[in-house]
Amino acid sequence: MKLNRVVVTGLATVTPLGNDLASSWQNLLAGKSGIGPITRFDTSEFITTIAGEIRDLDETPLIDAKASRRMDRFTRYAVYAALSAVKDAGLTIAPADEPEVGVIIGVGLGGLETIEICHKKMLETGPRRLTPFFIPVLIANMAAGQVSIYTKAKGINLCTTSACASGMHAVATAYTELKLGRAKAMICGGAESTITPLAVAGFNALKALSTRNDDPTRASRPFDRDRDGFVMGEGSGILILETLEQAKARGARIYAEVVGCGSSGDAYHMTAPPEHGEGMALAMKAALREAGLPPTEIDHVNAHGTSTALNDLCETRALKTVFGDHARKLAITANKSMTGHLLGAAGGVENVFAVKTIYEGIIPPTINLDNPGPECDLDYTPNQARKKDVTYALSNSFGFGGTNCCVLFKKFEE
């Protein structure tokens, strides 16, 4: 079987740092936080009152008002980012090509906002007043479904749901489809929007969220001694992947090449990683093994870096396990210090940023890293972006249920 080379030709994001990739990337490099007080609902009785919200996004240039009303917020973010990524790639999906283009978008929780609104209405007005769009609007795979409808992509249409690794698994699966020759192009990434009363209360019950409400921009602090939990974010990150053959045939700009992916399971606990990050290490090793690379070839790691006590410690231990002495030579970054944790969208957004890091030759900082925590003694690019020529970048995502996924990117060479 012929195995195809796979390249990245299009990128787009909608994040708390900006409503397009240009502004998100600029603010990321500047170390600007997208975290602030929650404005969507009354938080007076909540333990956590801050999040990374999308603000002032005008979807009408790409999504008409009637269609928008029949989409949950996470789906609108996915469609907006996907159409922007297709445009960025200069990809025209002609009728003859439609079966060769697929869509895989990871979503962790789906339409919680729709569930909460419709449940309240049903209790107030009765079950017969429920909209017929309730179920199709809330289901997690509607992000991929609507993107397919809007782009006319008729290849594989799939939602990966693996908690906070959902977006990363989507990109890894899309890469595999292209490598095996099952498609010529893929629209892939992640989307999420769960800044709702139920979600915030639920994560508070888990004691997973930061309560640094009086200082929102400094609340998310991966690898810092004073981290006290993650900060919820929302948005979407979408990549256009193509076989190298197709990309070259149409003269596409190539941002980077995808050279490996790795997945694993902790087989340990519902929400906590094992003490030394064994599953995280297995996923990283698998990505390196597929690419045929020794650990010493990796220049940069886009860390999962959630700002929780266990994740950051275990990810650091896993990096030391995989990379040995080379771990101290890695330029590591944690985007969640500025975006918050986008849950199912995190892998999509952070893959976009990892590719931009290779393409632009600059490492985004990890902000709010003032006093590294015990054992968190690697180079996390604290508080200031750094120019660096990056050939290989590894992107990590880990999720509840012990699900782990990594994707490895390479600077493109003929």
Side-chain angles (χ1 to χ4, degrees):
M1 177 184 290
K2 174 190 174 185
L3 296 179
N4 295 311
R5 291 175 67 184
V6 178
V7 295
V8 183
T9 59
L11 301 169
T13 60
V14 178
T15 79
L17 296 177
N19 294 337
D20 56 31
L21 178 54
S23 57
S24 291
W25 180 248
Q26 181 180 10
N27 287 328
L28 188 78
L29 295 184
K32 182 177 179 181
S33 173
I35 310 303
I38 293 171
T39 63
R40 301 246 172 95
F41 57 90
D42 180 5
T43 60
S44 57
E45 295 187 16
F46 285 76
I47 299 169
T48 293
T49 64
I50 56 174
E53 295 180 333
I54 303 296
R55 296 179 176 87
D56 305 319
L57 176 64
D58 180 10
E59 303 155 353
T60 54
L62 299 180
I63 309 172
D64 68 77
K66 182 178 179 181
S68 180
R69 289 193 296 270
R70 294 177 178 176
M71 296 183 196
D72 190 274
R73 203 183 298 262
F74 80 95
T75 301
R76 297 200 300 271
Y77 292 160
V79 172
Y80 191 90
L83 294 177
S84 300
V86 168
K87 181 179 179 181
D88 182 62
L91 180 65
T92 299
I93 305 175
D97 299 324
E98 291 171 354
E100 302 287 347
V101 182
V103 182
I104 305 180
I105 298 178
V107 177
L109 288 168
L112 277 186
E113 185 174 47
T114 295
I115 292 171
E116 292 181 47
I117 291 170
C118 289
H119 182 249
K120 183 176 184 289
K121 182 174 182 180
M122 187 186 75
L123 293 179
E124 292 173 348
T125 64
R128 297 191 181 190
R129 298 296 301 275
L130 199 62
T131 171
F133 293 103
F134 170 57
I135 297 297
V137 166
L138 75 89
I139 53 179
N141 72 297
M142 199 49 66
Q146 288 284 14
V147 168
S148 171
I149 291 167
Y150 268 77
T151 61
K152 303 302 180 186
K154 295 179 181 177
I156 185 173
N157 185 282
L158 181 65
C159 171
T160 51
T161 297
S162 51
C164 303
S166 299
M168 190 69 69
H169 275 120
V171 176
T173 305
Y175 157 69
T176 303
E177 290 290 306
L178 291 164
K179 185 174 182 178
L180 294 176
R182 293 171 175 165
K184 292 182 179 178
M186 297 293 300
I187 304 166
C188 60
E192 196 82 272
S193 180
T194 56
I195 303 174
T196 71
L198 192 60
V200 174
F203 281 116
N204 272 154
L206 272 175
K207 302 188 185 303
L209 296 181
S210 171
T211 58
R212 197 184 290 258
N213 300 314
D214 58 343
D215 197 4
T217 62
R218 293 179 58 79
S220 183
R221 41 198 320 112
F223 306 106
D224 189 77
R225 178 193 63 195
D226 299 319
R227 65 192 185 275
D228 71 329
F230 76 83
V231 179
M232 289 183 69
E234 63 176 352
S236 180
I238 300 293
L239 301 86
I240 306 301
L241 305 187
E242 300 182 59
T243 63
L244 176 59
E245 183 179 8
Q246 152 135 330
K248 290 176 69 175
R250 68 180 191 85
R253 171 194 50 209
I254 295 174
Y255 284 108
E257 184 171 1
V258 190
V259 293
C261 65
S263 297
S264 71
D266 290 343
Y268 177 72
H269 189 272
M270 289 172 65
T271 59
E275 183 180 1
H276 293 285
E278 178 190 8
M280 300 172 178
L282 286 172
M284 287 187 264
K285 287 178 180 178
L288 290 169
R289 185 168 59 248
E290 180 172 23
L293 291 173
T296 51
E297 289 293 309
I298 307 305
D299 306 295
H300 169 59
V301 174
N302 189 306
H304 189 52
T306 61
S307 186
T308 60
L310 272 178
N311 175 89
D312 296 358
L313 174 61
C314 292
E315 186 169 13
T316 298
R317 288 172 172 171
L319 286 166
K320 292 175 180 178
T321 296
V322 174
F323 291 96
D325 292 341
H326 186 67
R328 300 191 181 279
K329 299 178 182 178
L330 295 170
I332 304 165
T333 191
N335 302 151
K336 294 180 183 71
S337 61
M338 289 168 274
T339 64
H341 192 345
L342 276 63
L343 307 180
V349 168
E350 289 161 18
N351 275 335
V352 170
F353 290 156
V355 169
K356 282 286 283 184
T357 295
I358 291 174
Y359 194 70
E360 303 290 347
I362 186 164
I363 310 290
T366 301
I367 68 168
N368 302 324
L369 183 49
D370 303 322
N371 300 291
E375 294 189 48
C376 295
D377 55 356
L378 300 179
D379 177 7
Y380 308 106
T381 320
N383 300 311
Q384 194 76 37
R386 182 190 311 154
K387 290 184 178 180
K388 180 179 175 63
D389 185 45
V390 175
T391 301
Y392 290 100
L394 181 68
S395 191
N396 291 342
S397 283
F398 314 124
F400 284 176
T403 180
N404 310 295
C405 187
C406 309
V407 175
L408 183 57
F409 299 97
K410 179 181 183 289
K411 179 180 288 189
F412 177 69
E413 297 173 345
E414 290 287 349

